[in-house]
Structure formats: C-alpha cells, structure tokens
C-alpha cells in the first residue's frame, strides 16, 4: 500500500510536500529562537570593547563618562559601564568634533568628493564562505562607524536569514532588489522602498528571496523586445538604482548569487571593488578558474556593448583555511605566487567559532563572550578582523587616506 501511495504521488507533489513540511519546521524553530514579540538585537559593549573600537585608553573613556561628556552609558549591577552601538557612534561624532586633527580616525565616513564604495563578494562555488564573508564585513564596517547597505542578491537569501529575516515569511513580493530593477514600470518601486533597517546602527539591508530569479527569466525577453537600453540596460540597472541612495551610504556590500547570471553581471558592473572568496582546496581553485574565465568573457561582452568596467581593486580572500593542512598551504602558496598582492595577506581560518555562530545566525561580532571558549573566539576574531581590516584599508586608499 505504501508503495502504491508513493507511486501515485508525482515528483512535483512530493517535492512540494517536502517543501511545505520543511518550511513549517523552519518557522517553528525560528519562533522558538526569536518569538514573534522579540526582535533580533545586538549585544551591548563593555568599556574595554568601546575603547578598542575608538582607539582611546579605557581610562579616557571612563573620564568622559564621569565628566558627563559624550554619552551616558548604562550600568550593570556590578557598576560596569555598557554601551550600545548607537552610543558608540555618538561618541565618534563627539570626539571628532572635540579633536579635529583626529576627526577621520574617530569618524571614518566618506567626505565630500569620496565616492561610495560598492563591493561585490562573488564566486559560483558553494562552500567558499561568500555569505559569511559578507555578513562579517558588513558588521565590521558598521562597528567602525561607516554607513553600510548590504544587498542580498542570492535567491537562497542566506544573508537575509543571518539578519533575522526568514525569506518565505518575512519578505513579501516586490520587497527585494528585483522590485527596483524589474522591467515593468507599473510594478517597479524605488530602491529606498525595499531597504530595511537592522539591529546594527548604521547598517541597512535589502533582503532577498526566490523572486530574484524573475530577473534572470525576464531579462532575455526584455533584451529581445528592446526594453534593455541606456541606463535601463540589464547590466546597468543595478548601478542606476544605487545612485538613488548615493548620499546615504559609505559602502554597499553585495552578496552575489552563486552563478554567473544577469544579476551577478549587474553586480560586477555596479561594483567599484570585487572580493572573490576561495577555499584553498584544488577542487575549489579549479572551479574558481572556470569562474574567472567565464567572468572575463562576459565582462568583455559588456564592454563591447558600451559598458565601462573599472574596479578600484580586485582581491582574493582565502576562506575556511586550515594552516596545518599541507595541501591547503600549498594551494595558498600557489595562489600567492600567481596573483601576488591581489591575494589578501590575511586568510580566514576554519574554526568552530564561526560554524557555531552561523548555526545561531550570528557573526562573531554578535557572540557574547563566555558562550565560546575565550581562546577559540579570540583566534577566530583575530583572523576575521585581519581580513576585514585589509578590505577597510583598501576602501580608505580609494578615499586617499592611506
């Protein structure tokens, strides 16, 4: 009887049933982790954390608080001061005004004449830590005081999930980037209408879901009908809508989909910088080689169509790196030998701290100390910080500060 029932159920029906079952279970798990009345929120920061972020002595921070200058932090029962990220950013502005000579150090946001940086994080090989890299970089830059917009361009919407949005429940139709770049004028909305605030002060998100695939399906037809022209050409549409928010952000981070489709090409064209994540294993490097070959051919097509491509930097980031694994060390040496300084000096190590944080949909910057072994967390943070600091330095170089 079971065999008969299974035989009667088509593959489409079975897959649909499995999708519904899994969707309900994910929703149930999410409600247990984050009840409907609760919202994902960022931890508070200790005086030591704040002093490190601001680059001042902890005693100086304490004196500011005693003098009633800047912001007034909350106090724990043991008397320790704790700060929110919003208060840290207020302190940045206060110190920048108080010490004009060090204003750029305290408040590193772009100034007049500095162009908004658009960084695409890309690779079409699964497991290269593309989304993990994007979320950690977005959190790091926000903690440095920059205004950041993260765009989830992957229909699987893993980046959105990291920010607490379940794509099938929290992101309705016409609430992704697709809504701002779609071809039908009646349904298209401004980019600002799909931007959401996050629990990180200064960090906003354009969420993703499966509707992003509509752009891949509609673009060939739009090209055939002559709808893709000028600024509305398929590879220019993303860059065009980003101009709407150019005054609002210092950096835009795009988590590109894991394939070379029209969305990825749009992201590459809009980008001022490109970070290619690569796991230093031979299979992954072979896949990256195909990615680079196909990308170069497609970008050449864009240039022939009148698109001008000029990135401020292109860098490769080694991810999930195990420094004691001889084959990985050899692959890393191979890449550094071939590409030189285009491979970031820092590599993000493989660690249980990142994996465990990911299971809770958190970055390392959200993890409360004490929930992970101190040495494990410190090693992981040191690795991630080093990579993010290099990328931040590249941004500052473009702005003429390094």
């Amino acid at each position: 009887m079971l065999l008969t029932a299974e035989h009667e159920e088509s593959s489409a029906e079975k897959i649909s049933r499995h999708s519904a079952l899994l969707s309900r279970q994910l929703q149930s798990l999410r409600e247990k982790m984050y009840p409907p009345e609760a919202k994902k929120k960022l931890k508070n920061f200790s005086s030591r954390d704040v002093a490190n972020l601001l680059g001042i002595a902890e005693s100086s921070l304490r004196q500011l608080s005693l003098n009633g200058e800047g912001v007034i932090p909350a106090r724990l029962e043991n008397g320790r001061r704790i700060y929110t990220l919003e208060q840290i950013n207020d302190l940045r502005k206060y110190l920048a005004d108080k010490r004009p000579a060090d204003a750029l150090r305290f408040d590193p946001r772009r100034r007049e004449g500095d162009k908004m940086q658009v960084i695409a994080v890309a690779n079409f090989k699964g497991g290269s830590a593309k989304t993990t890299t994007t979320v950690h970089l977005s959190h790091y830059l926000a903690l440095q005081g920059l205004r950041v917009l993260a765009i989830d361009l992957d229909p699987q919407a893993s980046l959105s999930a990291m920010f607490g949005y379940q794509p099938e429940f929290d992101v309705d139709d016409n609430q992704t980037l697709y809504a701002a770049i779609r071809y039908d004028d009646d349904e298209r909305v401004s980019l600002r209408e799909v931007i959401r605030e996050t629990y990180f002060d200064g960090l906003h998100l354009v969420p993703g879901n499966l509707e992003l695939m509509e752009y891949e399906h509609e673009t060939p037809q739009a090209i055939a009908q002559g709808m893709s022209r000028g600024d509305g050409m398929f590879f220019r549409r993303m860059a065009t809508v980003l101009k709407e928010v150019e005054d609002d952000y210092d950096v835009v981070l795009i988590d590109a989909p894991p394939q070379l489709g029209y969305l990825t090409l749009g992201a590459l064209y809009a980008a001022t910088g490109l970070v290619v994540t690569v796991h230093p294993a031979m299979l992954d490097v072979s896949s990256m080689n195909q990615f680079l070959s196909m990308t170069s051919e497609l970008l050449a097509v864009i240039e022939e169509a009148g698109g001008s491509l000029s990135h401020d930097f292109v860098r490769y980031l080694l991810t999930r790196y195990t420094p004691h694994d001889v084959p990985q060390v050899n692959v890393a040496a191979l890449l550094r030998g071939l590409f030189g300084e285009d491979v970031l000096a820092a590599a993000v190590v493989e660690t249980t701290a990142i994996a465990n944080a990911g299971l809770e949909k958190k970055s390392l910057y959200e993890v409360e100390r004490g929930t992970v072994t101190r040495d494990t967390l410190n090693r992981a943070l040191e690795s991630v910080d080093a990579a993010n600091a290099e990328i931040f330095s590249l941004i500052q170089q473009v702005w003429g500060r390094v």
Side-chain angles (χ1 to χ4, degrees), residues 254-271:
I254 302 175
D255 185 15
Q259 67 269 338
L260 274 175
Y262 296 110
L263 285 169
T264 301
L265 289 175
L268 294 176
Y269 180 80

Side-chain angles (χ1 to χ4, degrees), residues 172-185:
D172 292 332
D173 293 342
N174 232 35
Q175 292 186 349
T176 70
L177 187 74
Y178 168 71
I181 62 174
R182 61 190 301 167
Y183 294 96
D184 45 344
D185 296 338

Side-chain angles (χ1 to χ4, degrees), residues 228-298:
S228 179
R229 294 176 178 172
D231 285 346
M233 192 170 287
F234 78 89
F235 60 82
R236 288 197 179 107
R237 297 179 83 85
M238 204 175 304
T240 300
V241 299
L242 284 177
K243 290 177 183 176
E244 297 175 19
V245 297
E246 197 167 9
D247 293 335
D248 302 337
Y249 300 101
D250 305 303
V251 179
V252 175
L253 296 175
I254 302 175
D255 185 15
Q259 67 269 338
L260 274 175
Y262 296 110
L263 285 169
T264 301
L265 289 175
L268 294 176
Y269 180 80
T272 59
L274 176 61
V275 174
V276 179
T277 54
V278 55
H279 176 50
M282 194 53 70
L283 184 63
D284 296 74
V285 171
S286 297
S287 176
M288 186 186 77
N289 183 45
Q290 294 178 322
F291 170 79
L292 295 177
S293 176
M294 292 175 62
T295 300
S296 65
E297 291 175 6
L298 291 170

Side-chain angles (χ1 to χ4, degrees), residues 103-124:
L104 281 174
R105 180 165 68 87
F106 290 123
D107 184 8
R109 293 182 300 175
R110 66 192 181 103
R111 304 298 196 259
E112 187 175 353
D114 297 338
K115 69 177 179 180
M116 181 176 72
Q117 288 293 285
V118 181
I119 301 174
V121 183
N123 201 333
F124 68 16

